[in-house]
Amino acid sequence: MNKSVNHPYDELLTAYSAGSLPLSQALCISAHLEHCQSCGQKLQRLNRVGSQMMQQLKPAPASADLKNQLLDRLDSLTEEQAPVESKASEPDSSIPRCLRQFIESRYEDLPWKRVSTDIHSVELCRDSNGARVELLKIRPGGSATTHTHLGDEYTVILEGSFSDESGLYGQGDFMVKGTRDKHTPVATRDRECICLAVTEGPIQFTGFISRLLNPFIRRSYA
Ligand SMILES: [Zn+2]
């Protein structure tokens, strides 16, 4: 399956391969990879290059202190590790594997909060850098109100589709909007749209009436 047309740019995939991305951005890349064969192949190539580079590095001699710390850590690991019991209810198979740690069963069962007539949201976690990881649900034909961001916004469409000023986006599509990008996502009328969204700063609504919402959004972000 490779129907996704909007992909993470190469620098992001390279950082993902090197394990240097913040958790919140890595979740978006993982969710996209579950829908995108071409990025999966690109990632395999990057992983191969990374491991070849590692093999070419000359090992540095370890200090006696470091060796002792490692041996202590190994001892404690063998004592601590117990098999993890699997949960009774299995998550819906349409939920990306990388998100199943946050979603026990189905999207419908999550504690959605109403943001507006058209949008509900649920926070999954906060990254250590402060970024908010959440799901957004837009009702069929609903609009996410014109907004910009005080930080970058990463979005992956998990269910349904939406369009904005740049075009139509479907399941698996990945996009990044910067602080200067103003956009108005509108879900298609056939079904609701569920997105994984990572925001690194509060959303700024830019419409005349919706500007009134900004103080509330900033407060909920703090
Ligand atoms: Zn891709």
Side-chain angles (χ1 to χ4, degrees):
M1 176 172 55
N2 195 26
K3 59 188 176 184
S4 180
V5 290
N6 290 278
H7 311 271
Y9 42 89
D10 287 352
E11 288 82 353
L12 267 181
L13 263 191
T14 309
Y16 178 86
S17 167
S20 59
L21 274 187
L23 168 75
S24 48
Q25 293 175 27
L27 282 172
C28 292
I29 305 274
S30 297
H32 172 75
L33 283 167
E34 293 193 29
H35 293 281
C36 183
Q37 211 174 33
S38 69
C39 284
Q41 288 164 349
K42 205 183 269 182
L43 181 68
Q44 282 181 358
R45 286 197 296 277
L46 286 167
N47 289 344
R48 274 200 296 277
V49 171
S51 76
Q52 281 163 6
M53 284 170 69
M54 288 296 283
Q55 282 167 11
Q56 285 164 11
L57 288 177
K58 291 212 164 61
S63 68
D65 242 16
L66 180 61
K67 279 181 193 161
N68 288 337
Q69 280 176 30
L70 271 174
L71 289 172
D72 287 349
R73 183 74 190 123
L74 280 173
D75 283 347
S76 65
L77 275 178
T78 45
E79 285 162 16
E80 286 167 13
Q81 300 299 305
V84 180
E85 281 183 31
S86 61
K87 287 181 181 159
S89 61
E90 285 296 314
D92 191 323
S93 62
S94 65
I95 295 168
R97 283 186 292 278
C98 63
L99 298 181
R100 293 182 195 170
Q101 58 189 304
F102 308 109
I103 306 168
E104 282 188 14
S105 52
R106 303 177 307 162
Y107 290 125
E108 299 93 283
D109 301 332
L110 290 167
W112 294 98
K113 287 184 182 156
R114 184 178 183 276
V115 178
S116 70
T117 333
D118 290 355
I119 305 172
H120 283 73
S121 76
V122 60
E123 185 173 309
L124 300 182
C125 68
R126 288 289 183 110
D127 200 344
S128 55
N129 64 5
R132 172 187 282 193
V133 180
E134 61 188 340
L135 295 184
L136 296 177
K137 184 167 68 176
I138 314 174
R139 73 169 177 82
S143 161
T145 314
T146 308
H147 63 274
T148 57
H149 323 96
L150 293 182
D152 286 343
E153 179 192 65
Y154 297 77
T155 307
V156 182
I157 298 190
L158 305 178
E159 301 279 338
S161 49
F162 73 64
S163 58
D164 69 6
E165 295 80 349
S166 315
L168 179 68
Y169 303 92
Q171 192 183 38
D173 271 336
F174 175 101
M175 68 216 80
V176 184
K177 296 285 181 188
T179 48
R180 288 163 186 241
D181 298 318
K182 194 193 289 186
H183 70 140
T184 316
V186 178
T188 49
R189 292 181 177 278
D190 54 331
R191 58 177 299 186
E192 67 183 15
C193 178
I194 296 177
C195 305
L196 171 65
V198 166
T199 39
E200 300 186 326
I203 287 170
Q204 286 285 96
F205 290 108
T206 52
F208 176 68
I209 299 293
S210 49
R211 255 181 247 141
L212 296 171
L213 285 169
N214 284 330
F216 299 104
I217 297 289
R218 274 198 292 275
R219 203 175 303 151
S220 71
Y221 202 89

mmCIF file of all heavy atoms in Angstrom, residues 75-113:
data_model
loop_
_atom_site.group_PDB
_atom_site.id
_atom_site.type_symbol
_atom_site.label_atom_id
_atom_site.label_comp_id
_atom_site.label_asym_id
_atom_site.label_seq_id
_atom_site.Cartn_x
_atom_site.Cartn_y
_atom_site.Cartn_z
ATOM 1 N N ASP A 75 23.434 -6.472 36.173
ATOM 2 C CA ASP A 75 22.954 -7.262 37.318
ATOM 3 C C ASP A 75 21.549 -6.853 37.703
ATOM 4 O O ASP A 75 20.666 -7.682 37.890
ATOM 5 C CB ASP A 75 23.874 -7.042 38.538
ATOM 6 C CG ASP A 75 25.157 -7.842 38.374
ATOM 7 O OD1 ASP A 75 25.183 -8.715 37.478
ATOM 8 O OD2 ASP A 75 26.116 -7.581 39.118
ATOM 9 N N SER A 76 21.329 -5.505 37.798
ATOM 10 C CA SER A 76 20.009 -5.039 38.243
ATOM 11 C C SER A 76 18.939 -5.349 37.201
ATOM 12 O O SER A 76 17.799 -5.647 37.542
ATOM 13 C CB SER A 76 20.029 -3.536 38.556
ATOM 14 O OG SER A 76 20.274 -2.823 37.374
ATOM 15 N N LEU A 77 19.322 -5.324 35.910
ATOM 16 C CA LEU A 77 18.340 -5.630 34.856
ATOM 17 C C LEU A 77 17.844 -7.065 34.970
ATOM 18 O O LEU A 77 16.661 -7.338 34.884
ATOM 19 C CB LEU A 77 18.962 -5.425 33.471
ATOM 20 C CG LEU A 77 18.925 -4.014 32.910
ATOM 21 C CD1 LEU A 77 19.624 -3.974 31.563
ATOM 22 C CD2 LEU A 77 17.488 -3.533 32.762
ATOM 23 N N THR A 78 18.776 -8.018 35.181
ATOM 24 C CA THR A 78 18.347 -9.420 35.243
ATOM 25 C C THR A 78 17.453 -9.651 36.450
ATOM 26 O O THR A 78 16.577 -10.500 36.427
ATOM 27 C CB THR A 78 19.558 -10.376 35.286
ATOM 28 O OG1 THR A 78 20.486 -9.850 36.214
ATOM 29 C CG2 THR A 78 20.215 -10.519 33.935
ATOM 30 N N GLU A 79 17.667 -8.878 37.551
ATOM 31 C CA GLU A 79 16.813 -9.049 38.728
ATOM 32 C C GLU A 79 15.438 -8.422 38.520
ATOM 33 O O GLU A 79 14.428 -8.953 38.947
ATOM 34 C CB GLU A 79 17.462 -8.385 39.953
ATOM 35 C CG GLU A 79 18.624 -9.202 40.503
ATOM 36 C CD GLU A 79 19.521 -8.370 41.406
ATOM 37 O OE1 GLU A 79 19.077 -7.278 41.843
ATOM 38 O OE2 GLU A 79 20.660 -8.791 41.650
ATOM 39 N N GLU A 80 15.425 -7.239 37.830
ATOM 40 C CA GLU A 80 14.173 -6.465 37.739
ATOM 41 C C GLU A 80 13.205 -6.984 36.682
ATOM 42 O O GLU A 80 12.010 -6.902 36.848
ATOM 43 C CB GLU A 80 14.487 -5.003 37.350
ATOM 44 C CG GLU A 80 15.080 -4.197 38.474
ATOM 45 C CD GLU A 80 15.661 -2.891 37.941
ATOM 46 O OE1 GLU A 80 15.385 -2.528 36.777
ATOM 47 O OE2 GLU A 80 16.398 -2.241 38.687
ATOM 48 N N GLN A 81 13.749 -7.505 35.556
ATOM 49 C CA GLN A 81 12.884 -7.776 34.419
ATOM 50 C C GLN A 81 11.897 -8.904 34.694
ATOM 51 O O GLN A 81 12.281 -10.016 34.991
ATOM 52 C CB GLN A 81 13.718 -8.154 33.186
ATOM 53 C CG GLN A 81 14.671 -7.063 32.752
ATOM 54 C CD GLN A 81 13.964 -5.777 32.358
ATOM 55 O OE1 GLN A 81 13.095 -5.790 31.511
ATOM 56 N NE2 GLN A 81 14.310 -4.677 32.979
ATOM 57 N N ALA A 82 10.634 -8.603 34.621
ATOM 58 C CA ALA A 82 9.599 -9.624 34.752
ATOM 59 C C ALA A 82 8.765 -9.565 33.490
ATOM 60 O O ALA A 82 8.636 -8.504 32.876
ATOM 61 C CB ALA A 82 8.741 -9.327 35.974
ATOM 62 N N PRO A 83 8.217 -10.699 33.039
ATOM 63 C CA PRO A 83 7.408 -10.653 31.820
ATOM 64 C C PRO A 83 6.218 -9.719 31.985
ATOM 65 O O PRO A 83 5.594 -9.685 33.048
ATOM 66 C CB PRO A 83 6.949 -12.109 31.639
ATOM 67 C CG PRO A 83 7.198 -12.781 32.951
ATOM 68 C CD PRO A 83 8.270 -12.022 33.647
ATOM 69 N N VAL A 84 5.958 -8.906 30.934
ATOM 70 C CA VAL A 84 4.836 -7.968 30.981
ATOM 71 C C VAL A 84 3.567 -8.712 30.588
ATOM 72 O O VAL A 84 3.527 -9.386 29.571
ATOM 73 C CB VAL A 84 5.076 -6.810 29.986
ATOM 74 C CG1 VAL A 84 3.919 -5.822 30.006
ATOM 75 C CG2 VAL A 84 6.387 -6.119 30.294
ATOM 76 N N GLU A 85 2.543 -8.597 31.447
ATOM 77 C CA GLU A 85 1.291 -9.290 31.143
ATOM 78 C C GLU A 85 0.553 -8.547 30.048
ATOM 79 O O GLU A 85 0.473 -7.328 30.046
ATOM 80 C CB GLU A 85 0.410 -9.330 32.391
ATOM 81 C CG GLU A 85 0.850 -10.419 33.356
ATOM 82 C CD GLU A 85 -0.064 -10.496 34.557
ATOM 83 O OE1 GLU A 85 -1.258 -10.201 34.400
ATOM 84 O OE2 GLU A 85 0.430 -10.839 35.645
ATOM 85 N N SER A 86 0.003 -9.287 29.089
ATOM 86 C CA SER A 86 -0.724 -8.619 28.008
ATOM 87 C C SER A 86 -2.105 -8.205 28.511
ATOM 88 O O SER A 86 -2.677 -8.851 29.385
ATOM 89 C CB SER A 86 -0.856 -9.535 26.806
ATOM 90 O OG SER A 86 -1.579 -10.669 27.184
ATOM 91 N N LYS A 87 -2.598 -7.105 27.939
ATOM 92 C CA LYS A 87 -3.899 -6.591 28.379
ATOM 93 C C LYS A 87 -5.029 -7.453 27.834
ATOM 94 O O LYS A 87 -4.900 -8.051 26.766
ATOM 95 C CB LYS A 87 -4.061 -5.163 27.888
ATOM 96 C CG LYS A 87 -3.184 -4.236 28.689
ATOM 97 C CD LYS A 87 -3.351 -2.815 28.225
ATOM 98 C CE LYS A 87 -2.446 -1.906 29.028
ATOM 99 N NZ LYS A 87 -2.195 -0.662 28.349
ATOM 100 N N ALA A 88 -6.124 -7.480 28.572
ATOM 101 C CA ALA A 88 -7.238 -8.339 28.178
ATOM 102 C C ALA A 88 -7.844 -7.899 26.846
ATOM 103 O O ALA A 88 -8.062 -8.694 25.950
ATOM 104 C CB ALA A 88 -8.291 -8.329 29.266
ATOM 105 N N SER A 89 -8.095 -6.551 26.689
ATOM 106 C CA SER A 89 -8.743 -6.097 25.463
ATOM 107 C C SER A 89 -7.676 -5.679 24.448
ATOM 108 O O SER A 89 -6.751 -4.945 24.771
ATOM 109 C CB SER A 89 -9.658 -4.914 25.757
ATOM 110 O OG SER A 89 -8.892 -3.858 26.265
ATOM 111 N N GLU A 90 -7.820 -6.152 23.221
ATOM 112 C CA GLU A 90 -6.860 -5.824 22.176
ATOM 113 C C GLU A 90 -7.303 -4.532 21.492
ATOM 114 O O GLU A 90 -8.494 -4.334 21.253
ATOM 115 C CB GLU A 90 -6.840 -6.955 21.146
ATOM 116 C CG GLU A 90 -6.101 -8.189 21.623
ATOM 117 C CD GLU A 90 -4.618 -7.927 21.870
ATOM 118 O OE1 GLU A 90 -3.985 -7.303 21.013
ATOM 119 O OE2 GLU A 90 -4.112 -8.336 22.931
ATOM 120 N N PRO A 91 -6.345 -3.628 21.141
ATOM 121 C CA PRO A 91 -6.743 -2.402 20.442
ATOM 122 C C PRO A 91 -7.247 -2.714 19.025
ATOM 123 O O PRO A 91 -6.869 -3.729 18.446
ATOM 124 C CB PRO A 91 -5.461 -1.591 20.379
ATOM 125 C CG PRO A 91 -4.403 -2.355 21.056
ATOM 126 C CD PRO A 91 -4.916 -3.709 21.398
ATOM 127 N N ASP A 92 -8.085 -1.830 18.535
ATOM 128 C CA ASP A 92 -8.598 -1.906 17.163
ATOM 129 C C ASP A 92 -7.410 -1.963 16.192
ATOM 130 O O ASP A 92 -6.465 -1.187 16.316
ATOM 131 C CB ASP A 92 -9.415 -0.623 16.934
ATOM 132 C CG ASP A 92 -10.219 -0.696 15.660
ATOM 133 O OD1 ASP A 92 -9.706 -1.267 14.680
ATOM 134 O OD2 ASP A 92 -11.345 -0.184 15.660
ATOM 135 N N SER A 93 -7.474 -2.871 15.209
ATOM 136 C CA SER A 93 -6.316 -3.048 14.320
ATOM 137 C C SER A 93 -6.098 -1.847 13.405
ATOM 138 O O SER A 93 -5.034 -1.693 12.809
ATOM 139 C CB SER A 93 -6.492 -4.312 13.478
ATOM 140 O OG SER A 93 -7.644 -4.166 12.680
ATOM 141 N N SER A 94 -7.088 -0.949 13.278
ATOM 142 C CA SER A 94 -6.892 0.226 12.423
ATOM 143 C C SER A 94 -6.058 1.305 13.133
ATOM 144 O O SER A 94 -5.631 2.268 12.517
ATOM 145 C CB SER A 94 -8.245 0.817 12.011
ATOM 146 O OG SER A 94 -8.909 1.312 13.155
ATOM 147 N N ILE A 95 -5.831 1.138 14.447
ATOM 148 C CA ILE A 95 -5.028 2.123 15.190
ATOM 149 C C ILE A 95 -3.548 1.822 14.949
ATOM 150 O O ILE A 95 -3.123 0.679 15.105
ATOM 151 C CB ILE A 95 -5.357 2.051 16.699
ATOM 152 C CG1 ILE A 95 -6.814 2.469 16.925
ATOM 153 C CG2 ILE A 95 -4.413 2.916 17.518
ATOM 154 C CD1 ILE A 95 -7.334 2.169 18.296
ATOM 155 N N PRO A 96 -2.754 2.827 14.546
ATOM 156 C CA PRO A 96 -1.330 2.571 14.308
ATOM 157 C C PRO A 96 -0.677 1.940 15.541
ATOM 158 O O PRO A 96 -0.983 2.314 16.666
ATOM 159 C CB PRO A 96 -0.754 3.968 14.040
ATOM 160 C CG PRO A 96 -1.913 4.785 13.594
ATOM 161 C CD PRO A 96 -3.111 4.230 14.302
ATOM 162 N N ARG A 97 0.227 0.983 15.284
ATOM 163 C CA ARG A 97 0.862 0.255 16.394
ATOM 164 C C ARG A 97 1.550 1.198 17.366
ATOM 165 O O ARG A 97 1.512 0.996 18.577
ATOM 166 C CB ARG A 97 1.873 -0.751 15.836
ATOM 167 C CG ARG A 97 1.216 -1.998 15.271
ATOM 168 C CD ARG A 97 2.253 -3.022 14.858
ATOM 169 N NE ARG A 97 3.047 -2.578 13.707
ATOM 170 C CZ ARG A 97 2.634 -2.688 12.445
ATOM 171 N NH1 ARG A 97 1.465 -3.239 12.177
ATOM 172 N NH2 ARG A 97 3.375 -2.252 11.446
ATOM 173 N N CYS A 98 2.167 2.281 16.835
ATOM 174 C CA CYS A 98 2.914 3.189 17.712
ATOM 175 C C CYS A 98 2.001 3.942 18.680
ATOM 176 O O CYS A 98 2.476 4.524 19.645
ATOM 177 C CB CYS A 98 3.732 4.170 16.877
ATOM 178 S SG CYS A 98 2.721 5.246 15.846
ATOM 179 N N LEU A 99 0.678 3.947 18.421
ATOM 180 C CA LEU A 99 -0.235 4.693 19.297
ATOM 181 C C LEU A 99 -0.991 3.777 20.253
ATOM 182 O O LEU A 99 -1.737 4.252 21.107
ATOM 183 C CB LEU A 99 -1.252 5.485 18.453
ATOM 184 C CG LEU A 99 -0.667 6.548 17.531
ATOM 185 C CD1 LEU A 99 -1.775 7.262 16.775
ATOM 186 C CD2 LEU A 99 0.158 7.557 18.328
ATOM 187 N N ARG A 100 -0.787 2.462 20.131
ATOM 188 C CA ARG A 100 -1.585 1.537 20.953
ATOM 189 C C ARG A 100 -1.213 1.596 22.430
ATOM 190 O O ARG A 100 -1.967 1.143 23.272
ATOM 191 C CB ARG A 100 -1.471 0.107 20.401
ATOM 192 C CG ARG A 100 -2.143 0.021 19.039
ATOM 193 C CD ARG A 100 -2.114 -1.368 18.474
ATOM 194 N NE ARG A 100 -2.441 -1.301 17.043
ATOM 195 C CZ ARG A 100 -2.330 -2.303 16.205
ATOM 196 N NH1 ARG A 100 -1.910 -3.476 16.650
ATOM 197 N NH2 ARG A 100 -2.633 -2.166 14.939
ATOM 198 N N GLN A 101 -0.025 2.172 22.736
ATOM 199 C CA GLN A 101 0.322 2.357 24.151
ATOM 200 C C GLN A 101 -0.588 3.405 24.810
ATOM 201 O O GLN A 101 -0.688 3.458 26.022
ATOM 202 C CB GLN A 101 1.781 2.788 24.273
ATOM 203 C CG GLN A 101 2.096 4.070 23.520
ATOM 204 C CD GLN A 101 3.578 4.367 23.459
ATOM 205 O OE1 GLN A 101 4.247 4.449 24.474
ATOM 206 N NE2 GLN A 101 4.092 4.552 22.243
ATOM 207 N N PHE A 102 -1.236 4.254 23.994
ATOM 208 C CA PHE A 102 -2.109 5.306 24.532
ATOM 209 C C PHE A 102 -3.594 4.980 24.359
ATOM 210 O O PHE A 102 -4.440 5.596 24.982
ATOM 211 C CB PHE A 102 -1.859 6.650 23.823
ATOM 212 C CG PHE A 102 -0.419 7.061 23.791
ATOM 213 C CD1 PHE A 102 0.311 7.040 22.611
ATOM 214 C CD2 PHE A 102 0.219 7.480 24.950
ATOM 215 C CE1 PHE A 102 1.633 7.417 22.578
ATOM 216 C CE2 PHE A 102 1.544 7.857 24.935
ATOM 217 C CZ PHE A 102 2.257 7.822 23.743
ATOM 218 N N ILE A 103 -3.907 4.075 23.433
ATOM 219 C CA ILE A 103 -5.307 3.816 23.090
ATOM 220 C C ILE A 103 -5.592 2.340 23.344
ATOM 221 O O ILE A 103 -5.104 1.477 22.614
ATOM 222 C CB ILE A 103 -5.585 4.161 21.612
ATOM 223 C CG1 ILE A 103 -5.147 5.598 21.324
ATOM 224 C CG2 ILE A 103 -7.051 3.959 21.269
ATOM 225 C CD1 ILE A 103 -5.114 5.954 19.851
ATOM 226 N N GLU A 104 -6.345 2.054 24.402
ATOM 227 C CA GLU A 104 -6.514 0.654 24.798
ATOM 228 C C GLU A 104 -7.403 -0.139 23.854
ATOM 229 O O GLU A 104 -7.166 -1.306 23.614
ATOM 230 C CB GLU A 104 -7.072 0.579 26.215
ATOM 231 C CG GLU A 104 -5.988 0.837 27.241
ATOM 232 C CD GLU A 104 -6.456 0.588 28.647
ATOM 233 O OE1 GLU A 104 -7.527 -0.032 28.799
ATOM 234 O OE2 GLU A 104 -5.771 1.029 29.569
ATOM 235 N N SER A 105 -8.486 0.502 23.364
ATOM 236 C CA SER A 105 -9.359 -0.295 22.491
ATOM 237 C C SER A 105 -9.721 0.444 21.209
ATOM 238 O O SER A 105 -9.080 0.234 20.178
ATOM 239 C CB SER A 105 -10.612 -0.747 23.241
ATOM 240 O OG SER A 105 -11.234 0.352 23.847
ATOM 241 N N ARG A 106 -10.704 1.349 21.266
ATOM 242 C CA ARG A 106 -11.166 1.985 20.021
ATOM 243 C C ARG A 106 -11.113 3.502 20.159
ATOM 244 O O ARG A 106 -11.186 4.040 21.259
ATOM 245 C CB ARG A 106 -12.621 1.572 19.737
ATOM 246 C CG ARG A 106 -12.819 0.068 19.644
ATOM 247 C CD ARG A 106 -14.275 -0.267 19.449
ATOM 248 N NE ARG A 106 -15.123 0.354 20.468
ATOM 249 C CZ ARG A 106 -16.433 0.516 20.360
ATOM 250 N NH1 ARG A 106 -17.068 0.129 19.289
ATOM 251 N NH2 ARG A 106 -17.124 1.070 21.340
ATOM 252 N N TYR A 107 -11.053 4.200 19.017
ATOM 253 C CA TYR A 107 -11.077 5.671 19.047
ATOM 254 C C TYR A 107 -12.327 6.168 19.772
ATOM 255 O O TYR A 107 -12.282 7.128 20.528
ATOM 256 C CB TYR A 107 -11.066 6.238 17.622
ATOM 257 C CG TYR A 107 -9.775 6.068 16.865
ATOM 258 C CD1 TYR A 107 -9.750 5.442 15.628
ATOM 259 C CD2 TYR A 107 -8.576 6.551 17.376
ATOM 260 C CE1 TYR A 107 -8.570 5.293 14.914
ATOM 261 C CE2 TYR A 107 -7.382 6.405 16.664
ATOM 262 C CZ TYR A 107 -7.394 5.773 15.434
ATOM 263 O OH TYR A 107 -6.217 5.630 14.738
ATOM 264 N N GLU A 108 -13.463 5.493 19.526
ATOM 265 C CA GLU A 108 -14.745 5.945 20.092
ATOM 266 C C GLU A 108 -14.721 5.965 21.619
ATOM 267 O O GLU A 108 -15.449 6.722 22.249
ATOM 268 C CB GLU A 108 -15.907 5.025 19.663
ATOM 269 C CG GLU A 108 -16.136 4.949 18.175
ATOM 270 C CD GLU A 108 -15.388 3.778 17.564
ATOM 271 O OE1 GLU A 108 -14.159 3.936 17.403
ATOM 272 O OE2 GLU A 108 -16.002 2.758 17.253
ATOM 273 N N ASP A 109 -13.894 5.092 22.239
ATOM 274 C CA ASP A 109 -13.922 4.973 23.697
ATOM 275 C C ASP A 109 -13.024 5.986 24.404
ATOM 276 O O ASP A 109 -12.966 6.009 25.628
ATOM 277 C CB ASP A 109 -13.489 3.551 24.108
ATOM 278 C CG ASP A 109 -14.407 2.501 23.509
ATOM 279 O OD1 ASP A 109 -15.591 2.820 23.274
ATOM 280 O OD2 ASP A 109 -13.932 1.371 23.251
ATOM 281 N N LEU A 110 -12.311 6.817 23.642
ATOM 282 C CA LEU A 110 -11.406 7.788 24.272
ATOM 283 C C LEU A 110 -12.204 8.934 24.910
ATOM 284 O O LEU A 110 -13.314 9.239 24.469
ATOM 285 C CB LEU A 110 -10.448 8.352 23.211
ATOM 286 C CG LEU A 110 -9.404 7.370 22.685
ATOM 287 C CD1 LEU A 110 -8.727 7.929 21.439
ATOM 288 C CD2 LEU A 110 -8.374 7.062 23.759
ATOM 289 N N PRO A 111 -11.635 9.570 25.938
ATOM 290 C CA PRO A 111 -12.341 10.674 26.607
ATOM 291 C C PRO A 111 -12.251 11.980 25.811
ATOM 292 O O PRO A 111 -11.565 12.926 26.191
ATOM 293 C CB PRO A 111 -11.616 10.789 27.956
ATOM 294 C CG PRO A 111 -10.233 10.282 27.686
ATOM 295 C CD PRO A 111 -10.342 9.252 26.592
ATOM 296 N N TRP A 112 -12.953 12.022 24.662
ATOM 297 C CA TRP A 112 -12.901 13.196 23.776
ATOM 298 C C TRP A 112 -13.451 14.419 24.481
ATOM 299 O O TRP A 112 -14.442 14.331 25.206
ATOM 300 C CB TRP A 112 -13.727 12.929 22.515
ATOM 301 C CG TRP A 112 -13.174 11.859 21.631
ATOM 302 C CD1 TRP A 112 -13.575 10.547 21.597
ATOM 303 C CD2 TRP A 112 -12.128 11.978 20.665
ATOM 304 N NE1 TRP A 112 -12.842 9.850 20.661
ATOM 305 C CE2 TRP A 112 -11.953 10.701 20.070
ATOM 306 C CE3 TRP A 112 -11.328 13.036 20.238
ATOM 307 C CZ2 TRP A 112 -10.998 10.462 19.076
ATOM 308 C CZ3 TRP A 112 -10.388 12.788 19.251
ATOM 309 C CH2 TRP A 112 -10.223 11.525 18.681
ATOM 310 N N LYS A 113 -12.806 15.563 24.239
ATOM 311 C CA LYS A 113 -13.310 16.832 24.781
ATOM 312 C C LYS A 113 -13.735 17.715 23.624
ATOM 313 O O LYS A 113 -13.041 17.790 22.607
ATOM 314 C CB LYS A 113 -12.209 17.554 25.571
ATOM 315 C CG LYS A 113 -11.934 16.896 26.888
ATOM 316 C CD LYS A 113 -10.910 17.702 27.669
ATOM 317 C CE LYS A 113 -10.604 16.999 28.987
ATOM 318 N NZ LYS A 113 -9.307 17.363 29.508
#
